[in-house]
Amino acid sequence: MKKITTVILTILLASSLYAEDKTKKAKLASDMRTMLKAVGAIQRAGFYNNKEGVKIAAKTLISNLNSLIETDATTYLPDSKANAGKFAKKRAKMIKMYAEDLIVSIETDDFSESLEDYNQILKQCTSCHSRIRQRQWK
Ligand code: HEC
């Protein structure tokens, strides 16, 4: 009887961990989609010379970095990537830094610096994506 209870408990625990893991992945994917929209909106607003639009999109980007920081990066980065957690947190930090700088650059009409900030944001995305796109989640 004790054995059966243990087995049942193990299954319950495993499935609840699985469910939690799925929720986290769904949240990460949803935040990623919001980030992509924000990046697109920055570009669009830039082309239309809409300074307010750039600032709003940069703020949206900043406020959607949480799941990037909270998700265990070892679940999606290859084992060869030592310090996966550090790497992911660094990317999130850099995206925040460049998005904040973009807001300042736009306010001060510094367009070449704005473009540099935008490029740097994209570089952070691709430096992680070039690593994960070759493989599935663990
Ligand atoms: C540290 C790693 C990392 C960084 C940085 C990162 N991503 Fe992702 N991204 C992921 C992971 C992990 C997934 C989900 C796994 C997959 O789809 O292969 C993902 C998925 C996505 C998706 C697909 C979401 C879906 O619908 O399933 C989009 C779009 C996306 N990212 C956009 C971005 C943008 C835009 C940035 C930069 C502003 C960015 N990502 C930065 C790791 C990262």
Side-chain angles (χ1 to χ4, degrees):
M1 188 59 198
K2 209 175 164 201
K3 241 187 186 164
I4 295 172
T5 321
T6 315
V7 169
I8 292 173
L9 276 179
T10 310
I11 292 171
L12 279 177
L13 185 67
S15 58
S16 76
L17 282 178
Y18 175 72
E20 195 192 296
D21 197 36
K22 266 190 104 170
T23 321
K24 273 194 188 150
K25 283 178 190 170
K27 168 128 184 15
L28 179 74
S30 154
D31 283 354
M32 289 283 165
R33 286 192 290 271
T34 309
M35 291 203 299
L36 178 62
K37 264 192 210 148
V39 168
I42 289 173
Q43 190 185 59
R44 190 182 158 80
F47 276 112
Y48 280 100
N49 206 10
N50 171 2
K51 287 167 68 170
E52 206 46 45
V54 172
K55 286 197 263 178
I56 291 170
K59 282 176 194 157
T60 307
L61 187 58
I62 295 169
S63 60
N64 280 278
L65 292 168
N66 277 352
S67 60
L68 197 54
I69 300 166
E70 287 159 9
T71 311
D72 177 5
T74 57
T75 58
Y76 60 77
L77 285 173
D79 294 330
S80 58
K81 182 72 207 162
N83 290 321
K86 251 189 173 171
F87 172 82
K89 285 189 182 74
K90 182 89 190 279
R91 301 284 77 73
K93 208 175 136 188
M94 303 280 273
I95 292 171
K96 183 168 186 265
M97 188 186 90
Y98 286 115
E100 282 170 352
D101 198 59
L102 176 62
I103 294 170
V104 177
S105 310
I106 279 289
E107 269 167 1
T108 53
D109 287 335
D110 189 340
F111 296 115
S112 91
E113 185 66 14
S114 303
L115 195 57
E116 176 62 18
D117 290 327
Y118 178 69
N119 273 335
Q120 285 295 340
I121 290 169
L122 292 188
K123 269 193 192 157
Q124 308 309 312
C125 312
T126 46
S127 78
C128 187
H129 276 242
S130 60
R131 291 182 166 93
I132 50 152
R133 285 294 170 187
Q134 297 135 13
R135 53 174 268 156
Q136 299 292 319
W137 290 87
K138 268 184 197 164

